[in-house]
Amino acid sequence: ADAVDVPVIAAGGIMRGGDIRAVLEAGASAAQLGTAFLSCPECGTSKMHREALLGYGGEGRDASEPLPTVVTLGYTGKPARGLQTDRALRMADLEGALPNCFNGMLAGRTLQAAALQQGRKDAAYLWAGSGYARSRAMPAAALVETLVAEAQSSSRSD
């Protein structure tokens, strides 16, 4: 951060207070968290989405082997990271066939609604950053309080 004359906002994989402290100590002006809040009830993610995040992506998975994530342009036309569902993999194939010209958001809304209604994780897009396996279930205010307390503690492993 000392190499530039503008504030640096660190983002990506920041899920715990220790992560926040580490980026601030490295010189960032601030930390931006996204995926850490996806499991909060206020976020608006579906119950299925929250369960996938908290369950390491799927049945029988654990923290040692969470479902991988994948970056796709197919959902919105812009790079977005989500759980590697069957739909995400099919979107990657479509991107290859139609490079730089596919935005599946409009058509995908109908499919997403049906997938959520039927509980079909394989057919849904489930946003998730690279650190999603460290997600926690708690209200947003409690998460912020927890993150602050962790950031102020002395151990990075929080």
Side-chain angles (χ1 to χ4, degrees):
D2 292 337
V4 295
D5 295 327
V6 296
V8 173
I9 301 172
I14 302 170
M15 299 292 290
R16 299 282 196 265
D19 301 331
I20 295 169
R21 188 179 58 257
V23 299
L24 294 176
E25 288 174 353
S29 301
Q32 177 178 319
L33 286 70
T35 298
F37 287 91
L38 289 178
S39 297
C40 297
E42 301 91 339
C43 182
T45 50
S46 69
K47 180 180 178 192
M48 180 179 70
H49 191 164
R50 289 190 305 274
E51 288 174 352
L53 294 170
L54 296 167
Y56 308 107
E59 296 78 18
R61 294 193 173 270
D62 61 28
S64 68
E65 191 180 346
L67 186 68
T69 60
V70 61
V71 175
T72 179
L73 301 173
Y75 296 143
T76 65
K78 297 178 181 168
R81 182 177 296 277
L83 294 179
Q84 184 180 291
T85 61
D86 289 343
R87 181 174 175 200
L89 294 175
R90 285 192 300 268
M91 294 305 286
D93 292 340
L94 189 55
E95 289 169 37
L98 302 169
N100 303 316
C101 67
F102 187 75
N103 179 341
M105 193 57 140
L106 295 177
R109 286 186 178 137
T110 301
L111 177 59
Q112 179 72 0
L116 293 174
Q117 185 177 32
Q118 296 176 20
R120 297 271 314 272
K121 283 189 285 196
D122 63 314
Y125 50 81
L126 303 172
W127 308 125
S130 60
Y132 87 90
R134 296 168 58 207
S135 294
R136 300 181 271 196
M138 62 179 74
L143 178 58
V144 170
E145 290 173 5
T146 300
L147 291 166
V148 168
E150 290 173 348
Q152 293 173 342
S153 76
S154 60
S155 170
R156 173 128 201 288
S157 64
D158 297 341

